Each structure stands twice: as C-alpha cells, then as structure tokens.
Amino acid sequence: MNFLNALKGSDVDDNKGRISLGMNPIRNLQFAPPAITDGRVTVAPPLDVIEDGCKLWKSTLVGHFVGQKLPYLVVNSIAKRIWGSYGLSEVLSSDNGFFLFTFDSVDHATNVMERAPWHMANRPLVLKC
C-alpha cells in the first residue's frame, strides 16, 4: 500500500479533536491538533499511539559514539558479529549520528545493556534504552 492509498476516504472528526485521515483499517492516520501553552506549541498524541510506539521500540537500544561517528557499514558489521548471539535483528542509523539496535526480545536488549561499556573500532559507545 502506498501513501496515497492510505489517505483515500473522507476526513472524519471523532469528537475528541482528532481527525481521521482515510478510512483504511490498516493505515488510519489521525491528526492531533497543536496547543499553545506559555507561548510554546505542543502536540499531545493520543495515548494509544504512545502505547503502540512503546511496544514497537521496547527491544531497541539507542547508541551514540563518543567522538567521531563511525560509518554505518562498520557499525553494522561489528554489531552483528558481537551481538548476533544476543539476538540482534536490525541496525539503523540516523543522519545526526545515532544508531538504533533492535533485538528479538527485551531480555536480549537488557543483557547487552548490563554488559556495558561497549566499544566499536576503539570508540566508546553510549547506549540507552
């Protein structure tokens, strides 16, 4: 399914200030209106969105290298070699130098955290849950 197909259908107000964009049961996008508090614009997503996000990322660790960022291919190769037995399933990177290490279970991610500190290519890696 592509993005345009997800948006097909009419906008529906759910009487809670949220507008559902599209009626596709697979991708039900919702708009959470912003609020201005003390001059700051904030958005409070619905609780179910937060809970779903927590479930999705609960076995993922976020990492950042102290000093210069390592290339993704280097980090991916080293991480799979040292954490493959811990159930590492995916390595992602962001443009701002953060890496996401997804494990097949929360227990495996916890085991990696408990065995810190970690280094890759002689650079310290700071990990957070």
Side-chain angles (χ1 to χ4, degrees):
M1 172 195 325
N2 64 31
F3 181 72
L4 292 176
N5 288 337
L7 293 178
K8 285 183 180 176
S10 58
D11 295 353
V12 178
D13 188 341
D14 69 359
N15 295 323
K16 295 179 184 172
R18 300 179 300 189
I19 297 174
S20 176
L21 302 174
M23 299 307 295
N24 188 315
I26 297 172
R27 299 273 186 226
N28 190 10
L29 303 176
Q30 295 180 345
F31 173 76
I36 299 176
T37 307
D38 296 329
R40 284 185 74 181
V41 177
T42 59
V43 177
L47 185 58
D48 59 326
V49 171
I50 294 170
E51 290 170 349
D52 289 347
C54 290
K55 288 177 192 173
L56 179 66
W57 295 101
K58 68 182 178 183
S59 63
T60 299
L61 301 177
V62 178
H64 194 273
F65 289 96
V66 177
Q68 189 177 11
K69 175 185 170 186
L70 289 172
Y72 169 79
L73 292 175
V74 172
V75 174
N76 186 48
S77 175
I78 294 171
K80 286 184 176 179
R81 182 173 42 83
I82 64 175
W83 293 336
S85 63
Y86 289 92
L88 179 69
S89 58
E90 186 174 24
V91 178
L92 302 170
S93 72
S94 68
D95 290 339
N96 60 358
F98 287 91
F99 289 88
L100 302 173
F101 303 98
T102 302
F103 294 83
D104 58 7
S105 72
V106 174
D107 288 340
H108 286 143
T110 302
N111 285 337
V112 168
M113 284 294 295
E114 289 175 350
R115 287 171 171 72
W118 291 98
H119 290 76
M120 291 187 184
N122 294 321
R123 291 200 177 95
L125 175 63
V126 177
L127 289 173
K128 294 291 241 177
C129 297

